[in-house]
Amino acid sequence: MPLTAKVATSNHLTWNMWLWLVWLLPAVLIAIKMFAPGGQEKLFLMLLSPIIILLAGLLGWLPRFVLKKRGFGYSPSGVSAAFAVHWWAFSLCVLGIDGADHMGPIPSPLSLAMPFLGDEIGSDVVRLSMAVTGLSYAALVVLAIFTPVKTQQRRASWTAWVAVAVTPLILIGLGALI
């Protein structure tokens, strides 16, 4: 079992919040979408939210389960950064999807929060976030399987903090450039 006393705070924090974040964040995102203006997608979310939350939770929990089975008691720095990127991209993807009803399109919660983005940039952010969500999840699984057990035995690591701070800015910025 790796020593956990010398592990960065961000990696301990990621490890400890992993269990509840993978279940709570999808539920909160669905609740935000349910209370935002919308149309037919609300019916879809109402009916399928238990399945969506269950799948997001189980799939989100898988990399941590693999790490724990391999003997980790913390999240390695690369995994913590990929975790932050994954859930930021997932959140922007869900919140950026526009609604629709028989009257026409309905702005997404992301468009309502940042009206300066516009519809086209918002759509680009959603597409980019979808791709990053898939790629970052694949990276999480690969890192969970192949990271050496004695990785990141230092007290300070900035990778997770940088990923948390920069990911939404990069996704929105790239969405504006595409």
Side-chain angles (χ1 to χ4, degrees):
M1 187 80 131
L3 298 174
T4 58
K6 296 181 184 177
V7 176
T9 304
S10 60
N11 296 342
H12 272 301
L13 183 64
T14 301
W15 185 259
N16 292 332
M17 69 183 212
W18 199 318
L19 290 174
W20 58 267
L21 187 103
V22 297
W23 300 98
L24 186 62
L25 187 62
V28 167
L29 293 173
I30 287 174
I32 289 170
K33 290 290 284 185
M34 291 298 294
F35 290 110
Q40 289 94 357
E41 78 279 359
K42 284 188 174 189
L43 178 62
F44 170 79
L45 287 174
M46 206 179 319
L47 296 174
L48 296 178
S49 63
I51 295 169
I52 294 168
I53 293 169
L54 182 68
L55 284 174
L58 289 174
L59 288 172
W61 186 65
L62 178 66
R64 187 182 191 276
F65 177 76
V66 170
L67 286 168
K68 190 166 179 90
K69 285 291 184 191
R70 293 189 57 226
F72 282 89
Y74 59 89
S75 175
S77 293
V79 174
S80 295
F83 182 81
V85 169
H86 174 73
W87 288 106
W88 262 120
F90 183 83
S91 299
L92 287 174
C93 178
V94 171
L95 294 177
I97 297 174
D98 290 328
D101 64 6
H102 65 285
M103 302 281 281
I106 299 170
S108 68
L110 183 64
S111 296
L112 293 173
M114 295 190 227
F116 57 87
L117 289 179
D119 291 336
E120 190 174 321
I121 293 173
S123 296
D124 290 339
V125 169
V126 169
R127 282 192 292 277
L128 182 62
S129 295
M130 277 186 204
V132 170
T133 298
L135 292 172
S136 61
Y137 183 75
L140 269 173
V141 172
V142 168
L143 287 169
I145 293 169
F146 295 112
T147 299
V149 177
K150 294 292 182 188
T151 299
Q152 214 282 314
Q153 294 285 333
R154 10 170 227 218
R155 211 169 262 295
S157 176
W158 295 100
T159 56
W161 299 120
V162 170
V164 167
V166 175
T167 299
L169 300 173
I170 289 174
L171 289 173
I172 292 170
L174 286 175
L177 293 175
I178 295 177

